[in-house]
Amino acid sequence: MKYSRSLASAGLVHLALGLPAPQMQYEDNMGAVGGVDPPIPTYTGAPVGNLRGPTNLQGGLASRPPVSGGASAVVPDPELVGGQEADADLGLYLDFNSAHYPNGPQPIRGDYGATDPGPRTYEYEKLNPDTYAPPSTDSGTVPQAMWPLGLSHNLYGSGKESGWARQQNQDVLPVATAMAGVDMRLAPNAYRELHWHTSDEWALVLKGSVRVAALDTDGATFVDDVTEGDVWFFPQGVPHSLQALHEGAEFLLIFDSGTFSEQETFLATEMMMRTPISVWAKDLQTDVSSFDYIPDAEKYIFNGTPAPANISEQNITSSAGALWGPSGYTYHWSQQEFHNTTGGSVKILDPLTFPVANMFSAALVVLEPGAMREVHWHTTSDEWSYFLEGSARITVYQAPAASATYDFTAGDVGYIQKSNGHYIENTGTDDVIFLEVLQAPQFTDISAAQWLALTPRQIIKDTLNLTDAVLDAIPKEKTIIKPGNPNMTAIAGGGQNY
C-alpha cells in the first residue's frame, strides 16, 4: 500500500496496478530436472490429457534409459575455493562467497563429497559452508543448534507502523529447552502494552532507547530509561510496560523457558475485556460508564504519547516507595568498560553485580578477525547465544562421539546444551559481536586449554600423545579469547592459523 500511495501522489496508480509481480531469481534453479524441462509450453483451453499414466510404464514393461549418453548429472569444471582441497580433518573455514555460479560452490572437502548438480539455492550454501561441506571431524547426530530469526514469522503491532516482534522457541529450535528469545521493534514513542509473563524476562537494548516501568508485589514502583547496551530484568509475574523514546528502539528479550510464546502473554487490555464490567466498577470504585471506551481488542504494540523528558513526572509511588540500586530492574551495562585482551574484548553481567536477575548470567564478546572464543563448556547451564554483528562458526561436541559445525551471522540464535564442548570462531573480515546467556547465578565455564595445562603432565601425554613442547606453551590462566590469523586458510598454504 505504501508503494501505491507514493505512485498515487504522482498520478501513476494505473501503472502500479498493472505492474507484474516481482520474481526472485535463483541462478541455476532452472532447466531440466526431475523429468520436467521448463519452460513448458503455454496452454489455454479446455483441459486435455490424463492425470495418471498407462500401466505399460511399470518397471519391466517400459523402455529403459541408456547406460551411457543419457540424462547427465555431471557438473563440468567444478570450482573449489581456497582450502577446499586441504585435508578434511583440518576443517578450514571455506569462503563460498568467492565461488562463482554455475560451477561453485561445491560440497567437497579434501577427498570427501561430490559435486552438486542441483536443485539448490546458492545463498543458503554461501551462508552455511560448514553445513554444505562439513569438516570431516563432524560425526554422528547433534540436535540442530542454530536458528536465524530472519526465518521467524513477524507479528505486527496494532498501530500504524508501530512495531513488530519475532521469536525463537522450541517450536523452531527444539533443543532450546531452557530459554527462548524475542526480537522486538518499537517505533518512536510506541508502547509494548502493559503486561506480565509466567517466565523471567532479561533484555538487552540493541538500538535506540526505552523507558521501562514496573510494580513489585509490595507495591514498590520502578521507572528508568535504558539505551543501547543496557539491560533490564523483570521476574515472572511482575507487571511492566515498555515505551520507546523519541528515536524508537529494538531490543532482545530472553526468557527462562524454552516453550515461551510472545502470543501467550498476560495483557492489560485482555484482562479488562475478559472480566465483567461490574467487577471492574467495584474494583476501581467507579461507575460502569467509566468503561464505555475501553479497547475492544488487545493493543500489543501501539503508538503512544511521547514520554516526558523529566522522568520524575512518571515516578508514582505508594508507601512502599520506589525501587533502586540492588532491587532495581535495570543495569546500565553500556557504561561498563570491556575487559580487553589479545584478539578481542569481553564483559560479563551476572547476579554478582545485577542481583535482581538471580539466575541470568551473560557475556558480551567481541572477536577480531581470525580470533576465537576458546574451546570451553558450561557446567551448570545451557548456553543461549545471539549474534549482533559479523559472522562466526561453532562446532558443538556432544558425548560420546558426535559433533556438528554451524555458521552464524547477525540475527542468528545459537543454543548449546550443558557440558557440550564448543568454541566460537570469527570467520569474517570484520569484528564479530555476540551475546552468551546462561541460567546460572554466576557466569562460569571450563577452559579446555586450561584443563590440559593444569592436569598432571604424564596423564596428558599418556592420553593424548601431546609433546612437552605443546604443553609448555599452554597458558595456565584462562584466556577466554584466542587470537588468530585472519587468513582462515593459511594452513593450506603452509602458514599458521594463530
Side-chain angles (χ1 to χ4, degrees):
M1 291 303 294
K2 176 180 286 188
Y3 184 60
S4 296
R5 287 199 304 269
S6 63
L7 288 180
S9 65
L12 299 175
V13 172
H14 62 287
L15 292 181
L17 298 177
L19 290 174
Q23 298 293 314
M24 295 294 292
Q25 299 296 320
Y26 292 108
E27 294 180 320
D28 199 35
N29 278 354
M30 58 186 68
V33 63
V36 180
D37 191 5
I40 60 174
T42 300
Y43 175 80
T44 57
V48 296
N50 296 317
L51 293 174
R52 295 175 178 82
T55 57
N56 63 5
L57 297 183
Q58 295 168 351
L61 301 178
S63 62
R64 299 180 178 89
V67 174
S68 178
S72 176
V74 173
V75 176
D77 303 318
E79 178 187 3
L80 302 183
V81 302
Q84 205 162 355
E85 295 179 276
D87 185 340
D89 280 354
L90 289 175
L92 302 179
Y93 179 73
L94 304 177
D95 180 12
F96 282 162
N97 286 303
S98 62
H100 301 89
Y101 160 83
N103 298 331
Q106 299 296 338
I108 294 172
R109 261 191 198 269
D111 296 329
Y112 295 95
T115 57
D116 184 354
R120 55 195 297 196
T121 300
Y122 285 81
E123 294 307 314
Y124 288 158
E125 297 152 9
K126 291 177 180 180
L127 283 171
N128 301 282
D130 288 293
T131 300
Y132 191 57
S136 60
T137 48
D138 280 13
S139 177
T141 301
V142 174
Q144 175 65 29
M146 186 272 286
W147 176 257
L149 277 177
L151 292 182
S152 290
H153 192 80
N154 249 340
L155 180 64
Y156 295 135
S158 63
K160 178 181 176 182
E161 297 184 1
S162 56
W164 49 257
R166 53 189 178 181
Q167 68 183 6
Q168 162 276 315
N169 56 21
Q170 281 191 272
D171 289 345
V172 295
L173 192 60
V175 71
T177 58
M179 284 173 275
V182 173
D183 176 21
M184 184 172 288
R185 165 75 162 129
L186 298 181
N189 308 310
Y191 291 101
R192 170 66 167 97
E193 77 159 279
L194 293 159
H195 65 283
W196 70 96
H197 309 284
T198 58
S199 302
D200 291 346
E201 172 187 313
W202 189 100
L204 174 69
V205 183
L206 302 174
K207 297 282 188 178
S209 301
V210 181
R211 179 160 294 174
V212 301
L215 172 81
D216 76 1
T217 55
D218 294 325
T221 55
F222 181 82
V223 60
D224 195 14
D225 291 340
V226 287
T227 192
E228 298 176 8
D230 290 343
V231 168
W232 72 72
F233 174 83
F234 296 123
Q236 59 179 316
V238 167
H240 54 281
S241 69
L242 312 169
Q243 183 180 19
L245 298 185
H246 301 342
E247 280 71 44
E250 182 176 356
F251 43 86
L252 184 68
L253 305 164
I254 300 100
F255 298 90
D256 64 349
S257 170
T259 60
F260 173 86
S261 174
E262 180 68 8
Q263 294 173 296
E264 296 177 359
T265 296
F266 294 93
L267 302 172
T269 51
E270 291 286 357
M271 182 176 65
M272 185 72 71
M273 290 186 290
R274 307 307 166 195
T275 305
I277 296 301
S278 62
V279 172
W280 281 119
K282 182 180 293 185
D283 195 62
L284 302 183
Q285 296 288 287
T286 187
D287 188 78
V288 293
S289 62
S290 300
F291 304 95
D292 288 348
Y293 301 104
I294 63 171
D296 57 5
E298 69 175 58
K299 287 194 168 182
Y300 183 48
I301 294 172
F302 64 102
N303 296 312
T305 304
N310 183 0
I311 195 172
S312 64
E313 294 179 23
Q314 296 188 323
N315 192 15
I316 304 171
T317 60
S318 68
S319 59
L323 299 168
W324 59 279
S327 60
Y329 291 133
T330 58
Y331 189 89
H332 293 260
W333 206 16
S334 64
Q335 299 177 36
Q336 177 184 327
E337 296 293 333
F338 275 93
H339 166 80
N340 298 309
T341 185
T342 304
S345 305
V346 61
K347 59 181 178 180
I348 287 172
L349 178 61
D350 59 22
L352 297 182
T353 49
F354 190 32
V356 69
N358 63 343
M359 284 297 288
F360 274 84
S361 296
L364 188 60
V365 184
V366 181
L367 298 177
E368 298 170 4
M372 183 177 79
R373 172 78 164 91
E374 66 175 342
V375 178
H376 67 283
W377 58 92
H378 303 286
T379 60
T380 63
S381 173
D382 294 355
E383 174 186 319
W384 189 95
S385 299
Y386 181 80
F387 288 80
L388 284 73
E389 194 169 294
S391 59
R393 67 173 179 170
I394 297 175
T395 296
V396 178
Y397 160 63
Q398 178 176 287
S403 65
T405 305
Y406 304 91
D407 299 284
F408 296 83
T409 55
D412 289 350
V413 172
Y415 195 89
I416 300 153
Q417 292 174 295
K418 176 177 63 179
S419 295
N420 283 358
H422 59 284
Y423 64 87
I424 301 97
E425 181 181 33
N426 186 341
T427 56
T429 56
D430 300 306
D431 289 350
V432 64
I433 306 170
F434 60 93
L435 178 73
E436 299 179 47
V437 180
L438 310 179
Q439 288 292 299
Q442 184 175 345
F443 192 94
T444 61
D445 62 29
I446 295 289
S447 160
Q450 188 181 41
W451 179 41
L452 297 179
L454 298 178
T455 297
R457 180 66 56 91
Q458 196 60 46
I459 297 174
I460 298 298
K461 293 172 67 176
D462 288 348
T463 304
L464 299 176
N465 299 326
L466 296 177
T467 66
D468 285 319
V470 170
L471 298 174
D472 287 341
I474 303 175
K476 292 181 173 58
E477 303 299 327
K478 187 182 297 185
T479 56
I480 305 176
I481 293 172
K482 304 289 186 181
N485 188 342
N487 181 354
M488 303 296 289
T489 59
I491 293 177
Q496 297 292 347
N497 67 339
Y498 58 88

